[in-house]
Amino acid sequence: MSHATFTPTAQPYTTQTTVGQLVADRPDRSRLFMKLGIDYCCGGKLTLQDAAEKKGLDAASILATLTALETLEPSGSAPNPALMSLTALADHIVGTHHAYLKEELPRLAFLTRKVAAVHGDDHPWLREVHAVYTGLAEELSSHLQKEEVILFPAIRNLEQTGDSGAPFGADLSHPVLMMEHEHAEAGEALTKLRALTSDFTPPASACNSFRAMLDGLEQLERDTHEHISKENNILFPRAMAQFQGTHHA
């Protein structure tokens, strides 16, 4: 999957840049503005300075935060999931991908609902985007719960004691196959969202909320693909190999 590289505008951003321009140029900035309670859609014509003052915030600090977030380079020393222990990898998945979903799913639920309500007459496909997303979010929330409460504790216990100690009996393959099936269903929903949105491409007239929604859905797809890959390709096969080795020794 290819992703466009962000190219800064020729003029540097200042506190006199409008909030709308900041988000139009880079939709993922909407995350910070939402956290700060700054209206980047209907209030997008305000300068960052004016928008910050309305909230009693410091515009220069917000600009510095945006700059810091966007100049961070991926760490070259990021841990290799293939080299982690089963316990460390399960903890990494929960702390990284599960944490991301728990924060992002409600935000995207709000955006897909809002955009469909406001723009659904002009773009009827937005209503299907909202419906598909709602189903996906419900499934992912349930999926995280099953992993955190049932499967991951069993995998950690297997590594630490040689016994999964799981409530589903002696066979670890059943919950693993169930999670892999749910991964496939999530992948199908993401594929449908990509098709419905023409590869997450906003119409020329799209407002900032519209653009933020599409940007968020694309990032959700990317993160979920990474998440599933770590489980299907590393965690689950290694856990199954250890389980079978222990129980057939």
Side-chain angles (χ1 to χ4, degrees):
M1 187 192 317
S2 63
H3 293 275
T5 301
F6 174 72
T7 303
T9 57
Q11 297 297 322
Y13 297 112
T14 72
T15 57
Q16 294 306 306
T17 305
T18 66
V19 173
Q21 186 63 52
L22 287 165
V23 176
D25 284 356
R26 186 157 177 166
D28 60 358
R29 290 173 174 148
S30 65
R31 285 178 172 75
L32 179 61
F33 290 134
M34 286 186 77
K35 286 182 180 179
L36 297 175
I38 291 176
D39 181 355
Y40 60 85
C41 190
C42 298
K45 292 182 180 179
L46 289 178
T47 65
L48 180 60
Q49 182 70 44
D50 290 341
E53 286 179 359
K54 283 185 67 175
K55 289 291 180 179
L57 301 171
D58 180 67
S61 296
I62 297 172
L63 190 62
T65 300
L66 289 171
T67 301
L69 290 172
E70 290 157 14
T71 55
L72 286 174
E73 294 294 331
S75 172
S77 59
N80 182 345
L83 301 179
M84 294 180 180
S85 68
L86 293 177
T87 296
L89 182 52
D91 291 347
H92 162 76
I93 289 169
V94 171
T96 303
H97 300 290
H98 288 203
Y100 162 79
L101 286 171
K102 288 174 183 178
E103 180 172 348
E104 188 69 351
L105 291 178
R107 187 185 83 97
L108 284 174
F110 167 78
L111 284 172
T112 57
R113 182 174 61 252
K114 175 184 178 181
V115 173
V118 175
H119 301 286
D121 288 342
D122 293 331
H123 305 284
W125 52 269
L126 286 169
R127 297 191 178 102
E128 191 171 359
V129 166
H130 175 56
V132 171
Y133 173 78
T134 299
L136 172 63
E138 289 174 355
E139 286 298 320
L140 285 174
S141 296
S142 171
H143 184 85
L144 301 186
Q145 183 79 356
K146 292 172 192 172
E147 289 188 339
E148 292 181 16
V149 174
I150 300 173
L151 183 55
F152 285 7
I155 289 175
R156 293 186 187 100
N157 204 56
L158 172 66
E159 181 174 60
Q160 293 160 14
T161 70
D163 184 355
S164 64
F168 40 77
D171 191 358
L172 191 66
S173 65
H174 176 67
V176 166
L177 289 172
M178 180 182 294
M179 294 301 97
E180 289 178 340
H181 175 70
E182 292 182 3
H183 287 168
E185 290 183 331
E188 289 172 4
L190 289 166
T191 297
K192 190 166 188 178
L193 287 171
R194 176 173 278 278
L196 286 168
T197 60
S198 301
D199 296 328
F200 308 109
T201 305
S205 61
C207 69
N208 279 335
S209 289
F210 202 143
R211 293 172 185 274
M213 177 198 75
L214 293 172
D215 174 75
L217 290 174
E218 184 169 23
Q219 292 197 37
L220 174 68
E221 179 193 63
R222 180 169 61 248
D223 186 85
T224 302
H225 285 173
E226 292 175 2
H227 178 179
I228 289 174
S229 177
K230 288 173 184 175
E231 292 183 359
N232 283 10
N233 299 326
I234 304 173
L235 182 65
F236 294 169
R238 284 181 50 201
M240 284 303 303
Q242 184 162 337
F243 178 83
Q244 290 166 355
T246 300
H247 285 73
H248 294 93

